[in-house]
Amino acid sequence: MLEEIKALLGFTDTDRDPQLTTIMRLVQQRLCSLLGTDEVPDALAYIVTEVTVLRFNRIGSEGMSSHNVEGESITYQATDDFAAFANDIEAWKEANAGDVSRKIRFI
């Protein structure tokens, strides 16, 4: 998956691998939380790739809603990074409702 992300971003070196790996791990954890699973299902792995690219491209612009420099204007999505995939996530959850094992933790 890391090589696919690097290809989308146009990277051929390994300089940014630790940063990309960290973003990818956090995205996987968030998606697992949304799904109620311990692992990202293969059918939804593309979401990790897409959201990792989105988050990497926003580094240095966290918290901004727009950015203007010398006539170039960038507007950032104000909603959750996973919002564009909400229908896919819900469809997967509905299709796999009986397959998801829930865990109870006693603290």
Side-chain angles (χ1 to χ4, degrees):
M1 185 178 299
L2 180 61
E3 293 305 316
E4 189 174 56
I5 292 167
K6 288 170 61 173
L8 287 170
L9 292 169
F11 300 152
T12 56
D13 58 26
T14 58
D15 294 345
R16 296 176 188 94
D17 284 6
Q19 192 173 31
L20 290 171
T21 302
T22 299
I23 295 168
M24 189 170 54
R25 180 180 50 79
L26 293 170
V27 170
Q28 287 171 333
Q29 288 174 345
R30 175 72 174 129
L31 183 55
C32 284
S33 176
L34 291 171
L35 295 171
T37 62
D38 292 332
E39 293 182 20
V40 174
D42 290 339
L44 299 179
Y46 73 94
I47 295 174
V48 174
T49 301
E50 296 285 339
V51 174
T52 298
V53 170
L54 287 171
R55 289 195 176 171
F56 180 84
N57 285 332
R58 246 192 358 249
I59 290 176
S61 301
E62 293 88 349
M64 289 187 188
S65 59
S66 65
H67 180 74
N68 296 308
V69 176
E70 296 183 11
E72 178 183 11
S73 177
I74 300 171
T75 302
Y76 299 101
Q77 181 178 333
T79 60
D80 180 21
D81 291 327
F82 293 90
F85 308 102
N87 290 339
D88 297 341
I89 291 168
E90 287 304 314
W92 185 90
K93 287 169 67 174
E94 287 176 18
N96 295 281
D99 297 338
V100 177
S101 62
R102 304 259 181 217
K103 293 182 180 181
I104 299 174
R105 294 183 186 173
F106 294 96
I107 300 177

